[in-house]
Amino acid sequence: MNPRRHGLCIHDECTALLLTPDRLGLRFSKTLQMRFRLFALLSATSLLTFPVFGNATLVYQNISSNTGALSQSVLDTTTNLQWLSPVATKRQSIASVSGGYDGWTSDGFRYATLAELRALMSNAGIPITAASSLARWYDPLAISAMQEIILGLGWTYQNNPPSPENPFGQREIFGIVSDHYLGDGHTTPSHRYALLGASDNVAYADTVGRQWLYESQDSLVGSFLVREQLSIPEPSSLALLISGLLLCLVNRRSAKPPSAHGSA
């Protein structure tokens, strides 16, 4: 089997077949042939730019730091914030992460706020309106949205493994945020950490934040880090842009005046 002949990629031979009506035994005028080619190109554009994510607001990516460390990430295209997986900073204190652990902060990542975490949840489709120490959602859409966030970022703790009866199991993300708590960070808590969790029947979150010491480390707790990304065109916008350029090209060729023959 030739892998180039399968999948969604446009093979040279397939393109030649699509864009050459003569190969189908058809005889069109040049104008109709141009329109036929345009239709084929627009169809291919629609396939190539169709969203591949369950939630078009969130884009899941694998990234690496300047030191070569690898991590999952989630880009929220509504806020243009890229969220680093808390798994990448598990067992690391605030002092360690802020000091450049694995190069993430030198790549532009910083600690997220609880407000930014709530915005991520809202943009994913979770109906959160205010901070809560333990909010719960039983709506299937909210549960699915929380599961997508957890799968996209990676979980720091798994309460219950997946099973035939409960395909998702119960997974949670514990992550430190930038919001401060009264204290010096050494003998008394100075920061907070948040919790996102989901099972097959419920989604839950603590977006008020629990107390955390500046130099504390825990095998279940990472850090919620974000960095600002440049705005990128959505797939639908990209398709419209390409379509417009193709239409301009066709109109320009169709409007080209015929060459003069003979003399007056």
Side-chain angles (χ1 to χ4, degrees), residues 14-22 33 36-41:
C14 296
T15 306
L17 179 62
L18 282 173
L19 304 186
T20 309
D22 292 342
Q33 287 189 32
F36 189 91
R37 293 188 179 98
L38 175 62
F39 173 78
L41 287 171

Side-chain angles (χ1 to χ4, degrees), residues 13-223:
E13 294 177 9
C14 296
T15 306
L17 179 62
L18 282 173
L19 304 186
T20 309
D22 292 342
R23 286 191 147 192
L24 299 177
L26 303 175
R27 293 291 183 270
F28 293 160
S29 66
K30 289 185 176 180
T31 301
L32 287 177
Q33 287 189 32
M34 184 64 70
R35 291 177 179 176
F36 189 91
R37 293 188 179 98
L38 175 62
F39 173 78
L41 287 171
L42 291 178
S43 299
T45 299
S46 299
L47 285 174
L48 292 173
T49 57
F50 190 82
V52 295
F53 306 104
N55 189 321
T57 300
L58 306 183
V59 179
Y60 305 99
Q61 303 169 320
N62 292 322
I63 60 174
S64 61
S65 71
N66 58 75
T67 64
L70 302 177
S71 176
Q72 295 174 233
S73 74
V74 172
L75 173 63
D76 183 346
T77 58
T78 301
T79 60
N80 287 326
L81 286 179
Q82 184 177 33
W83 291 76
L84 183 72
S85 169
V87 177
T89 52
K90 278 176 60 175
R91 303 181 182 87
Q92 301 301 314
S93 67
I94 299 173
S96 173
V97 174
S98 300
Y101 173 76
D102 268 351
W104 295 115
T105 53
S106 59
D107 280 346
F109 282 97
R110 58 169 175 80
Y111 273 93
T113 66
L114 288 169
E116 289 169 335
L117 183 62
R118 291 192 292 270
L120 172 68
M121 296 167 57
S122 176
N123 293 336
I126 301 171
I128 183 169
T129 56
S132 173
S133 59
L134 190 59
R136 294 179 182 271
W137 298 270
Y138 297 95
D139 176 67
L141 293 178
I143 296 172
S144 176
M146 183 67 82
Q147 290 176 351
E148 281 195 27
I149 292 177
I150 293 173
L151 290 174
L153 285 177
W155 54 95
T156 61
Y157 179 59
Q158 183 170 266
N159 283 349
N160 298 307
S163 67
E165 297 78 18
N166 299 291
F168 188 79
Q170 185 178 4
R171 313 179 200 190
E172 298 175 334
I173 302 176
F174 293 93
I176 305 166
V177 293
S178 65
D179 296 64
H180 285 261
Y181 188 82
L182 297 177
D184 60 14
H186 300 283
T187 58
T188 53
S190 63
H191 285 69
R192 298 177 184 270
Y193 72 92
L195 163 67
L196 305 182
S199 66
D200 291 275
N201 304 310
V202 63
Y204 50 94
D206 176 358
T207 57
V208 170
R210 305 178 188 184
Q211 304 172 11
W212 193 256
L213 289 167
Y214 186 75
E215 297 180 346
S216 292
Q217 299 177 357
D218 194 287
S219 61
L220 304 182
V221 180
S223 293

